[in-house]
Amino acid sequence: MAGPQPPPWVHAAFLLCLLGIGRAIEIPMDPSIQNELPQPPTITKQSVKDHIVDPRDNILIECEAKGNPAPSFHWTRNSRFFNVAKDPRVSMRRRSGTLVIDFRSGGRPEEYEGEYQCFARNKFGTALSNRIRLQVSKSPLWPKENLDPVVVQEGAPLTLQCNPPPGLPSPVIFWMSSSMEPITQDKRVSQGHNGDLYFSNVMVQDMQTDYSCNARFHFTHTIQQKNPFTLKVLTNHPYNDSSLRNHPDMYSARGVAERTPSFMYPQGTSSSQMVLRGTDLLLECIASGVPTPDIAWYKKGGDLPSDKAKFENFNKALRITSVSEEDSGEYFCLASNKMGSIRHTISVRVKAAPYWLEEPENLILAPGEDGRLVCRANGNPKPTVQWMVNGEPLQSAPPNPNREVAGDTIIFRDTQISSRAVYQCNTSNEHGYLLANAFVSVLDVPPRMLSARNQLIRVILYNRTRLDCPFFGSPIPTLRWFKNGQGSNLDGGNYHVYENGSLEIKMIRKEDQGIYTCVATNILGKAENQVRLEVKDPTRIFRMPEDQTAKRGTTVQLECRVKHDPSLKLTVSWLKDDEPLYIGNRMKKEDDSLTIFGVAERDHGSYTCIASTELDQDLAKAYLTVLADQTTPTNRLAALPKGRPDRPRDLELTDLAERSVRLTWIPGDDNNSPITEYVVQFEEDQFQPGIWHDHSKFPGSVNSAVLPLSPYVNYQFRVIAVNEVGSSHPSLPSERYRTSGAPPEFNPGDVKGEGTRKNNMEITWTPMNATSAFGPNLRYIVKWRRRETRETWNNVTVWGSRYVVGQTPVYVPYEIRVQAENDFGKGPEPDTVIGYSGEDYPRAAPTDVKVRVLNSTAISLQWNRVYSDTVQGQLREYRAYYWRESSLLKNLWVSQKRQQASFSGDRLRGVVSRLFPYSNYKLEMVVVNGRGDGPRSETKEFTTPEGVPSAPRRFRVRQPNLQTITLEWDHPEHPNGILTGYSLRYTAFNGTKVGKQMVENFSPNDTKFTVQRADPVSRYRFTLSARTQVGSGEAVTEESPAPPNEAYTNNQADIATQGWFIGLMCAIALLVLILLIVCFIKRSRGGKYPVREKKDVPLGPEDPKEEDGSFDYSDEDNKPLQGSQTSLDGTIKQQESDDSLVDYGEGGEGQFNEDGSFIGQYTVKKDKEETEGNESSEATSPVNAIYSLA
């Protein structure tokens, strides 16, 4: 008799454990394979669940899908078949399931409201869209009503109810006066969330305006205004009593009784509120009282969530964004003033619509393989799970012995071609539902190669290389590599085969050249491809350029001789100071050298020779020092030319020990520049033969030093001397000295563990060099294990610097250790490093994406955090893809180019800015890890409100004449809303004087204006801006052209009003007055005038006495003197002095020379002659001016 059977869940658990080690097939992205393989339908695009449409436009219900063969589409409406062909207004887009309902020929959109669902079908299955609830936007008119004036006593509370007409979606409420002025709100007067306007206490100034409730409807972009309320406030004091208005306690001064707070909303002492997980919780408390109460918020038993809580409406509202279960509890608001306090308690319950824990994914299997579909969701209440296949309940589908349902999981065993189907998982509770499609596809595909055939790979000797061989097949083929068509499978030793088919050769040798064949095999056949590998010699500079010192004007040659593979094209180029060298007329570049003629100071610097082929390159650097011209030497040593030191010689090794040796050398000639430093270099012949490395440096006064050594290195040393001119040539090498071996004293550094594929982890490290190997056969012991499981260590011995761990779970932490080992033993215990296996694309999209419009150019986003197990890697960022769908302005073309905004780290909110105002946008969000983007979230649509326009274009100011100025402009490039007009401000100015500003407003269609000038001299400055209902936009400023004489006018006006100019004029006037007074005094006293010498001023040619040298001093009144002027009445003005000779002789000091000439010193006369020499007129003569005053 059989024993008791175990319960079914035991079988399910056992099967799940078995399935956990299996893996599904990945379809390559190659389009040729994508188009050839059979594929059940997949929904790629659909409208939102609650689809509200504009009644003025045609209705569009989106449904797009892919599959092979291409799917066909049909719809249901209200769970009944919707016959598209019978309705002339309804059509379906070609190669798509999108419905278009056209109302151009009439019809009512309301007739098509209902619940729609799209079915995409081909011969392998049927996929379903969400149930799309179509509703037509409504903006009903406000009922007409006559409102009596509201009479209220000053200090009493007041509520003005809005009661807007029900719209779809709900309208945005705001309060304004009947003259469209916004109502100023503060903690005393504010609008509640329900749209009502609350006055905590009424003041007499509140009746200065009326109050009208306005409702703005989203889709129709209309604003409806309710008839305004008029307030009549009963008061004991008139409002214009300024003494009371400015009183520090205005309430008591005006006779208003002070009152303790009481709640206007909500009523009572307690209330409750239910909110859905992921949405915003808004709690509101509005209180009355005199003075106006202050509101404070608290949570019982804890603090408010500081990262999610913010206060709104002057602390009357508390908003908690993206609530979760921990936000449940009791909150209370406390209203207080100096008369007392009162509080209201709100009990908050958080429920949840279904949200994904693990969404089912498409399953691609080979015949005979096992797999599973998992549909795991959570919610409050706990959602129920319903499975469907091809759109029909699973219970009514034909039985399938290879399929077993275990709650939220469907298990498939030994799948066959007939098992292809599309499965739907519908999880729902009273708050919503989630619907997901996942197909099961069974592929039977023989192996095929995905890369080009017979590729040629060229690689440099001793390098590492990878030969790629991408392949595909179902079942997954096994891959083997062969060389030259014979021999065994290549794997191990110098070869390593990766899971993706690539063959890595760790160190290329000459014998590795040949033809490599990769063969992919499964039960349906095999496919092969060949790769030809050519090994090339490396490019090496065997004669490097050397450091040189040269005088200006000499010629320098830098050698650069190269050895390379003759089958590769060699290119030799030069750098100067690490920048490309320009080869000018003074330079000559040859294959093996660079010659510089006429060296100049600008040639000073480093020169790098780069020898390159298409596969590799080598470089060498030298330094050129240019000596300046020497001045006269101050001593014999300075007069001698300086040069680089000669090389050291006669190197000798003594005091040989296991870990040290003494090196002694004889210095070379310093060439008139003292040696400042010795550089000791070494070379070893095991790992890098022929390569010299710096070992240590010593002062120039030292010629013997003890060198520390590493174990198991065959050393050879050389020495380089350095002075201020440069470095010497290296000395001849010393004899070799090999140290004994030892176990490694340290382990390799920079150990990392990173995935290169979703199911592997590549462990890498920096290999140890020759001086740290400490012995032969240096190798590395690599250990790893899962961090969480604390399982036993896996280990492998590696000779390279990397190892790939395969078949790893997606992005799990591993503990990694890498230990050095040689033939003498192991190194110290290594440190443990944490690495991660490879990442896969995220499996989930952000949910409950909330879009809140901040202003006309920015929105805020909020979303639910995805579960860490769905990220499948390191969460880099949340990313929003958004695009401008259309403008709200008709006939305005917009670019629908997708843009993105990134939010780094595990954030739950962000801001998207630089949007275009007055536009319709769509937005999707994804999770991004190191592998890439995850699936896209549900598309969100939002509309940016009106903004201010950009500046008017092509603002032109013309001046056809001196009486008028003509202005012309074009409409703004970006209206950002409906233009309501233009504002023009202009001001006349003349120099520093500025006139009164004038303002003109124009209608949206006006683009021209003429200004009548007040005067022909002033200029005008014009500032023009466009405006919408939001306000004025960016302004553009222009000035009128300058009048012809404006520069002169400005200079005259500016100078005449300057303080320095006024002071200068006063100083000149004072100086002239002093000069006149001095001249008058001297004239009154009399003076002795010198007789003009003949040689100073010759007489006129008409003087008849010039020849005999006589001089006539007679007074001829009737004869004009030289330089005299004629007055306006024709008389002769007196220019010279009319004093007689007797007058000159007064005083007895006059004398005659031997030739009879008269001599004497008369300074007044001399000054007068100088004035005559300048031909001064009577008006400028100070003496005549004094006479005129007399």
Side-chain angles (χ1 to χ4, degrees):
M1 186 172 62
Q5 295 293 324
W9 64 267
V10 175
H11 296 286
F14 177 72
L15 286 172
L16 290 176
C17 293
L18 293 178
L19 291 172
I21 63 174
R23 59 190 179 97
I25 297 173
E26 292 187 14
I27 303 296
M29 300 304 295
D30 190 333
S32 62
I33 296 181
Q34 293 269 347
N35 297 332
E36 290 179 11
L37 296 179
Q39 178 179 328
T42 301
I43 299 292
T44 59
K45 189 176 183 181
Q46 57 184 317
S47 294
V48 296
K49 293 179 181 178
D50 291 317
H51 189 31
I52 302 175
V53 296
D54 192 335
R56 300 169 298 179
D57 298 333
N58 292 336
I59 295 176
L60 201 70
I61 311 178
E62 292 181 316
C63 178
E64 297 181 8
K66 66 178 182 179
N68 193 14
S72 60
F73 299 87
H74 74 271
W75 287 82
T76 62
R77 180 187 176 197
N78 298 329
S79 301
R80 300 180 62 183
F81 175 71
F82 183 51
N83 194 338
V84 176
K86 285 189 176 182
D87 194 329
R89 296 192 186 94
V90 183
S91 61
M92 195 180 300
R93 285 183 175 173
R94 188 168 177 265
R95 297 181 181 178
S96 169
T98 298
L99 289 181
V100 179
I101 307 176
D102 193 341
F103 298 102
R104 286 178 295 183
S105 58
R108 297 180 66 253
E110 290 79 6
E111 298 175 357
Y112 292 88
E113 291 184 326
E115 189 176 76
Y116 291 78
Q117 192 166 26
C118 174
F119 293 74
R121 173 178 298 163
N122 66 12
K123 64 180 181 179
F124 301 119
T126 302
L128 276 64
S129 73
N130 288 324
R131 297 187 296 276
I132 302 168
R133 184 185 179 194
L134 178 66
Q135 295 175 283
V136 177
S137 174
K138 297 176 178 62
S139 54
L141 296 177
W142 218 304
K144 294 295 182 181
E145 55 182 342
N146 294 321
L147 301 176
D148 296 328
V150 178
V151 180
V152 62
Q153 183 69 39
E154 185 176 14
L158 175 65
T159 302
L160 299 181
Q161 295 184 346
C162 181
N163 297 327
L168 186 66
S170 299
V172 176
I173 304 301
F174 56 96
W175 285 81
M176 303 185 77
S177 67
S178 57
S179 59
M180 301 304 292
E181 293 292 334
I183 301 299
T184 302
Q185 298 189 28
D186 50 27
K187 74 173 186 177
R188 185 179 65 86
V189 181
S190 63
Q191 177 184 319
H193 185 63
N194 60 1
D196 294 346
L197 189 64
Y198 293 90
F199 295 75
S200 293
N201 52 76
V202 176
M203 301 299 294
V204 69
Q205 61 263 31
D206 294 333
M207 65 180 180
Q208 288 187 329
T209 183
D210 54 10
Y211 301 84
S212 177
C213 183
N214 295 261
R216 181 168 62 86
F217 293 90
H218 173 71
F219 278 88
T220 58
H221 306 291
T222 58
I223 297 177
Q224 296 189 26
Q225 188 177 52
K226 185 177 182 178
N227 287 341
F229 291 95
T230 302
L231 293 188
K232 183 178 180 181
V233 180
L234 304 179
T235 179
N236 297 326
H237 298 276
Y239 178 62
N240 58 7
D241 191 342
S242 58
S243 62
L244 297 182
R245 195 186 320 168
N246 301 322
H247 197 277
D249 192 352
M250 186 174 59
Y251 290 105
S252 60
R254 299 188 60 83
V256 177
E258 296 179 337
R259 292 183 292 103
T260 58
S262 62
F263 283 110
M264 304 174 70
Y265 181 87
Q267 300 291 333
T269 60
S270 63
S271 60
S272 62
Q273 193 166 332
M274 189 275 288
V275 63
L276 290 180
R277 178 184 184 272
T279 62
D280 287 0
L281 169 65
L282 183 65
L283 304 177
E284 192 172 33
C285 281
I286 301 176
S288 66
V290 179
T292 303
D294 295 314
I295 305 294
W297 289 90
Y298 304 92
K299 183 180 181 181
K300 289 186 178 179
D303 297 329
L304 296 176
S306 58
D307 57 332
K308 300 192 299 179
K310 57 182 179 179
F311 303 106
E312 299 177 354
N313 198 16
F314 311 100
N315 268 29
K316 299 177 185 180
L318 170 65
R319 182 182 297 274
I320 300 178
T321 59
S322 187
V323 297
S324 54
E325 286 77 2
E326 57 265 26
D327 295 319
S328 297
E330 289 190 350
Y331 297 78
F332 67 90
C333 58
L334 184 68
S336 61
N337 63 12
K338 66 180 183 178
M339 301 300 295
S341 62
I342 187 174
R343 75 175 185 175
H344 182 94
T345 302
I346 306 174
S347 177
V348 175
R349 295 173 294 114
V350 178
K351 301 292 185 179
Y355 55 92
W356 289 117
L357 298 178
E358 186 172 356
E359 188 176 0
E361 296 181 338
N362 296 332
L363 187 62
I364 302 176
L365 302 171
E369 288 186 338
D370 300 340
R372 63 173 180 168
L373 292 177
V374 179
C375 175
R376 188 169 296 128
N378 198 4
N380 186 7
K382 181 73 175 177
T384 59
V385 175
Q386 179 191 11
W387 284 100
M388 294 181 287
V389 57
N390 297 326
E392 299 294 335
L394 196 61
Q395 296 80 359
S396 59
N400 185 345
N402 299 332
R403 180 181 66 211
E404 181 179 344
V405 179
D408 56 10
T409 304
I410 301 180
I411 304 167
F412 299 92
R413 299 189 299 268
D414 191 22
T415 56
Q416 301 301 320
I417 298 296
S418 59
S419 301
R420 295 168 175 162
V422 182
Y423 289 82
Q424 289 83 34
C425 170
N426 185 78
T427 174
S428 61
N429 64 13
E430 61 188 74
H431 302 298
Y433 75 94
L434 294 173
L435 176 67
N437 292 275
F439 65 71
V440 176
S441 181
V442 182
L443 298 181
D444 206 358
V445 182
R448 60 184 297 177
M449 295 297 170
L450 303 180
S451 61
R453 303 187 67 83
N454 301 321
Q455 296 183 71
L456 171 61
I457 304 296
R458 297 184 296 177
V459 66
I460 296 298
L461 185 67
Y462 303 127
N463 279 6
R464 180 194 301 262
T465 190
R466 291 176 70 162
L467 308 181
D468 293 326
C469 182
F471 63 94
F472 174 71
S474 180
I476 299 176
T478 58
L479 187 79
R480 294 179 297 167
W481 282 89
F482 302 94
K483 181 183 176 186
N484 295 327
Q486 58 186 1
S488 60
N489 179 32
L490 298 178
D491 198 4
N494 199 34
Y495 301 100
H496 176 71
V497 179
Y498 288 89
E499 185 180 344
N500 64 353
S502 295
L503 172 66
E504 180 183 61
I505 306 176
K506 300 175 183 177
M507 181 180 290
I508 293 292
R509 299 159 297 188
K510 281 289 187 182
E511 54 266 27
D512 291 324
Q513 182 166 290
I515 297 176
Y516 291 78
T517 304
C518 59
V519 180
T521 308
N522 68 9
I523 59 176
L524 300 178
K526 71 176 182 178
E528 65 179 44
N529 199 358
Q530 291 184 342
V531 179
R532 182 158 60 94
L533 180 67
E534 291 185 357
V535 181
K536 304 296 182 181
D537 291 327
T539 302
R540 292 290 179 263
I541 300 176
F542 66 91
R543 180 164 294 180
M544 306 178 185
E546 297 181 346
D547 295 342
Q548 297 191 38
T549 302
K551 295 182 179 180
R552 290 192 300 179
T554 60
T555 299
V556 171
Q557 186 179 55
L558 300 172
E559 284 190 309
C560 183
R561 298 191 179 183
V562 184
K563 180 181 179 182
H564 72 289
D565 195 291
S567 64
L568 301 177
K569 181 180 178 181
L570 176 67
T571 302
V572 178
S573 59
W574 289 84
L575 303 178
K576 181 180 184 298
D577 297 329
D578 299 326
E579 297 291 337
L581 175 65
Y582 171 72
I583 306 297
N585 295 331
R586 296 186 303 105
M587 297 185 182
K588 181 181 179 182
K589 191 187 82 167
E590 298 176 321
D591 291 340
D592 57 357
S593 66
L594 173 68
T595 305
I596 306 175
F597 302 97
V599 171
E601 288 185 0
R602 63 177 179 271
D603 297 323
H604 181 94
S606 64
Y607 290 80
T608 305
C609 173
I610 302 178
S612 58
T613 65
E614 57 264 40
L615 297 182
D616 69 335
Q617 72 173 24
D618 194 16
L619 55 87
K621 179 182 289 189
Y623 200 85
L624 174 62
T625 303
V626 179
L627 298 178
D629 293 338
Q630 299 292 325
T631 59
T632 302
T634 58
N635 54 56
R636 186 182 64 80
L637 183 61
L640 296 175
K642 296 181 179 181
R644 296 185 298 169
D646 293 342
R647 72 176 70 189
R649 56 188 175 85
D650 297 341
L651 272 64
E652 183 181 5
L653 298 178
T654 58
D655 300 342
L656 305 178
E658 288 189 2
R659 296 291 181 269
S660 66
V661 68
R662 176 174 289 276
L663 174 66
T664 306
W665 64 91
I666 297 177
D669 192 343
D670 63 4
N671 291 324
N672 306 314
S673 178
I675 295 174
T676 59
E677 186 180 55
Y678 288 103
V679 179
V680 178
Q681 296 181 327
F682 76 93
E683 177 261 353
E684 54 83 27
D685 59 359
Q686 181 178 358
F687 290 94
Q688 293 178 307
I691 304 300
W692 289 89
H693 307 274
D694 287 350
H695 184 284
S696 50
K697 297 181 180 180
F698 300 98
S701 59
V702 172
N703 71 328
S704 180
V706 176
L707 307 179
L709 307 178
S710 297
Y712 201 72
V713 178
N714 194 20
Y715 282 100
Q716 190 177 33
F717 299 98
R718 70 182 186 184
V719 182
I720 298 173
V722 181
N723 64 9
E724 65 176 8
V725 180
S727 301
S728 70
H729 293 293
S731 68
L732 296 177
S734 70
E735 59 183 334
R736 288 195 177 272
Y737 174 62
R738 176 184 292 277
T739 56
S740 59
E745 294 182 0
F746 49 89
N747 294 306
D750 198 23
V751 178
K752 297 178 181 178
E754 298 174 342
T756 58
R757 295 175 57 86
K758 70 178 183 179
N759 52 4
N760 75 1
M761 179 180 63
E762 183 179 63
I763 303 174
T764 59
W765 57 90
T766 300
M768 300 164 64
N769 57 27
T771 59
S772 56
F774 288 13
N777 294 324
L778 177 66
R779 51 198 179 270
Y780 304 97
I781 302 174
V782 182
K783 299 180 179 180
W784 71 95
R785 70 179 181 184
R786 287 275 296 273
R787 184 179 185 182
E788 301 90 347
T789 59
R790 294 293 179 178
E791 58 191 11
T792 58
W793 289 92
N794 303 285
N795 67 83
V796 67
T797 301
V798 179
W799 275 261
S801 60
R802 60 197 294 270
Y803 179 74
V804 178
V805 180
Q807 303 298 324
T808 63
V810 174
Y811 199 70
V812 296
Y814 280 82
E815 295 179 335
I816 301 171
R817 295 177 180 176
V818 179
Q819 185 179 29
E821 182 184 31
N822 60 23
D823 288 352
F824 289 94
K826 297 180 181 180
E829 279 297 316
D831 296 331
T832 300
V833 176
I834 303 300
Y836 285 85
S837 57
E839 299 179 78
D840 197 359
Y841 294 106
R843 290 189 289 108
T847 57
D848 291 337
V849 178
K850 303 294 183 184
V851 179
R852 184 165 65 92
V853 178
L854 298 177
N855 52 47
S856 60
T857 61
I859 60 170
S860 68
L861 295 176
Q862 295 179 355
W863 57 88
N864 278 354
R865 178 184 291 109
V866 296
Y867 286 88
S868 57
D869 58 342
T870 66
V871 177
Q872 301 197 113
Q874 182 181 5
L875 177 61
R876 299 288 181 87
E877 62 185 31
Y878 288 92
R879 182 179 298 164
Y881 290 99
Y882 60 95
W883 62 97
R884 191 183 183 192
E885 189 75 12
S886 63
S887 171
L888 295 178
L889 296 174
K890 300 298 183 181
N891 303 322
L892 181 63
W893 180 88
V894 299
S895 171
Q896 295 184 340
K897 179 181 178 181
R898 287 182 174 242
Q899 297 175 285
Q900 67 182 48
S902 298
F903 310 103
S904 301
D906 190 13
R907 298 171 55 182
L908 297 179
R909 60 178 61 85
V911 175
V912 179
S913 58
R914 302 181 68 180
L915 302 174
F916 284 95
Y918 212 53
S919 300
N920 293 317
Y921 275 88
K922 290 187 177 181
L923 178 142
E924 298 171 340
M925 291 200 68
V926 297
V927 180
V928 182
N929 62 13
R931 186 78 181 273
D933 292 3
R936 307 211 167 190
S937 70
E938 181 181 5
T939 302
K940 293 291 183 180
E941 299 181 1
F942 63 91
T943 300
T944 53
E946 281 191 273
V948 296
S950 60
R953 292 179 296 172
R954 292 186 284 275
F955 185 28
R956 304 172 295 280
V957 179
R958 295 188 178 94
Q959 185 171 290
N961 51 57
L962 295 178
Q963 288 76 37
T964 60
I965 299 175
T966 301
L967 312 179
E968 293 181 359
W969 61 89
D970 292 345
H971 296 300
E973 180 180 3
H974 300 292
N976 296 334
I978 300 175
L979 289 181
T980 59
Y982 297 90
S983 296
L984 175 69
R985 293 176 172 80
Y986 60 96
T987 306
F989 64 94
N990 184 358
T992 58
K993 298 180 180 179
V994 179
K996 179 182 178 181
Q997 185 183 66
M998 307 297 292
V999 179
E1000 297 285 349
N1001 292 313
F1002 307 105
S1003 68
N1005 297 324
D1006 290 338
T1007 58
K1008 183 183 293 186
F1009 180 63
T1010 300
V1011 178
Q1012 298 296 328
R1013 299 176 62 101
D1015 59 82
V1017 177
S1018 298
R1019 295 180 63 188
Y1020 287 79
R1021 184 177 293 110
F1022 299 96
T1023 301
L1024 179 68
S1025 61
R1027 64 178 187 272
T1028 62
Q1029 291 183 359
V1030 178
S1032 296
E1034 180 184 356
V1036 58
T1037 300
E1038 293 289 343
E1039 293 183 358
S1040 63
N1045 297 324
E1046 181 189 3
Y1048 174 77
T1049 303
N1050 286 346
N1051 289 338
Q1052 293 289 80
D1054 291 343
I1055 293 176
T1057 57
Q1058 297 297 317
W1060 64 268
F1061 179 77
I1062 296 173
L1064 179 62
M1065 291 296 100
C1066 293
I1068 293 174
L1070 181 60
L1071 184 62
V1072 171
L1073 180 60
I1074 294 174
L1075 184 60
L1076 291 175
I1077 295 173
V1078 171
C1079 292
F1080 179 74
I1081 294 173
K1082 286 193 174 184
R1083 176 61 180 170
S1084 300
R1085 290 180 179 178
K1088 297 179 181 179
Y1089 297 83
V1091 177
R1092 181 187 310 166
E1093 293 185 5
K1094 178 179 178 181
K1095 62 181 181 180
D1096 290 338
V1097 181
L1099 297 174
E1102 71 279 7
D1103 193 342
K1105 300 178 181 180
E1106 181 181 1
E1107 294 180 359
D1108 60 1
S1110 64
F1111 191 87
D1112 187 2
Y1113 289 95
S1114 63
D1115 185 10
E1116 299 181 7
D1117 294 333
N1118 297 325
K1119 184 177 181 180
L1121 295 178
Q1122 184 179 357
S1124 65
Q1125 291 189 15
T1126 305
S1127 65
L1128 293 177
D1129 58 358
T1131 60
I1132 304 300
K1133 294 280 185 176
Q1134 180 176 340
Q1135 181 77 13
E1136 297 287 346
S1137 173
D1138 53 356
D1139 293 341
S1140 65
L1141 186 60
V1142 179
D1143 294 329
Y1144 287 98
E1146 289 178 359
E1149 294 180 0
Q1151 297 181 11
F1152 287 92
N1153 283 335
E1154 294 177 356
D1155 59 357
S1157 62
F1158 184 73
I1159 60 174
Q1161 300 299 326
Y1162 297 95
T1163 56
V1164 176
K1165 183 66 177 179
K1166 183 177 180 180
D1167 292 339
K1168 187 172 180 181
E1169 286 181 353
E1170 290 177 355
T1171 305
E1172 288 177 353
N1174 292 330
E1175 295 185 359
S1176 300
S1177 64
E1178 181 179 321
T1180 57
S1181 171
V1183 177
N1184 289 336
I1186 298 299
Y1187 283 162
S1188 64
L1189 293 175

